[in-house]
Amino acid sequence: MKLFYHLYLTALTLSFLDVACAFVARPYVPSASVSLHGKKDSGDEVVQQQAFPVGSFVEFEEKKRIHVGKIETVEHKSSGGARYAVIDSEGKKFNISDKAVRYSMACPNTPGQANKLYEQFISAQDAPMQSLQESLDVSPELLQMAWEEATEELEDQAHADLTPASFVELVHAHAASAMEKYLTWKLLQTDMAHVFFKEIKSHGRVVAFRAKPRKAVDNAKEMFCRDIDNEDNELCFV
């Protein structure tokens, strides 16, 4: 009887750990550390691509449609490339390659925080530009000021690049939350933001934004404001 009781307690403990681990997202190693994608070394040993952890929240593309979901499982192909089974916000399952992932967000350690962040992530997916501006408290004028500040602060560097996190810190002088990073990432890909910044990609994903030279900004702003859809945009009056 004691043996059966001991086995019961062991099984119960393992079950609890499985549930807890579903909400633990290990830190993702930046893509710069991924030196090989399915290539072999001199000993013909396949080098596995660094994968996003199970539980991560991701925005991904499938058949030209954008979804958000959670990574359920990770596997590596014989070539070393990573593939994911993802459950989207509608409960549908997708099997996608690493290159289909557009954005990744670490899952918080506790179920309550994880559920709250995931709901916010889903709500933000289709947010219009005006909503992004309001959520981030970033007006067109402030966007232009951020571009000017970036070019001045980084003028000694070869390029004036900003990540979503550094943009928030530059504009609001505080560390960005997970949702602020995602919203900023989306905002800086809008037509208005493209007046000032161009996208920088790593392994096919947009990871940073480079401040354009002043002459390029002046030309882009003129073209933006010529568009009848933008004639009332606040940027055209700054």
Side-chain angles (χ1 to χ4, degrees), residues 51-155:
F52 296 106
V54 169
S56 297
F57 304 153
V58 291
E59 179 180 297
F60 63 98
E61 184 173 358
E62 192 270 340
K63 294 181 179 179
K64 297 184 178 181
R65 292 188 60 191
I66 305 301
H67 308 262
V68 295
K70 302 177 186 178
I71 295 179
E72 189 177 55
T73 61
V74 180
E75 64 177 12
H76 286 85
K77 299 182 293 183
S78 59
S79 62
R83 290 192 64 84
Y84 309 96
V86 181
I87 304 297
D88 78 352
S89 56
E90 298 178 352
K92 297 178 182 178
K93 187 173 182 177
F94 297 85
N95 291 300
I96 62 172
S97 64
D98 183 81
K99 67 180 180 181
V101 177
R102 290 163 47 87
Y103 188 89
S104 167
M105 184 185 298
C107 173
N109 294 333
T110 62
Q113 292 177 339
N115 291 333
K116 180 180 179 180
L117 181 60
Y118 188 56
E119 290 300 320
Q120 293 174 336
F121 189 38
I122 294 171
S123 298
Q125 180 197 359
D126 297 320
M129 183 175 66
Q130 187 64 34
S131 178
L132 295 172
Q133 290 179 229
E134 292 173 357
S135 297
L136 293 166
D137 193 21
V138 175
S139 64
E141 182 178 8
L142 192 55
L143 183 66
Q144 180 167 326
M145 291 173 63
W147 164 75
E148 292 172 347
E149 188 74 14
T151 54
E152 289 176 6
E153 287 196 4
L154 303 175
E155 62 182 355

Side-chain angles (χ1 to χ4, degrees), residues 19 21 25 35 38 42 49 58 61 74 99 153 157 171 182 195 212 215 229 236:
V19 172
C21 287
S35 58
S42 56
Q49 178 183 18
V58 291
E61 184 173 358
V74 180
K99 67 180 180 181
E153 287 196 4
Q157 300 183 22
V171 171
Y182 178 59
V195 170
K212 294 180 178 179
K215 185 176 180 180
D229 293 332
C236 300

Side-chain angles (χ1 to χ4, degrees), residues 7-65:
L7 292 174
Y8 170 75
L9 288 178
T10 301
L12 186 62
T13 301
L14 290 174
S15 175
F16 173 78
L17 288 174
D18 287 342
V19 172
C21 287
F23 292 95
V24 177
R26 291 165 292 171
Y28 174 61
V29 178
S31 55
S33 67
V34 184
S35 58
L36 292 176
H37 289 263
K39 295 182 180 179
K40 298 183 179 181
D41 59 21
S42 56
D44 286 335
E45 180 181 350
V46 174
V47 179
Q48 290 189 340
Q49 178 183 18
Q50 175 67 46
F52 296 106
V54 169
S56 297
F57 304 153
V58 291
E59 179 180 297
F60 63 98
E61 184 173 358
E62 192 270 340
K63 294 181 179 179
K64 297 184 178 181
R65 292 188 60 191

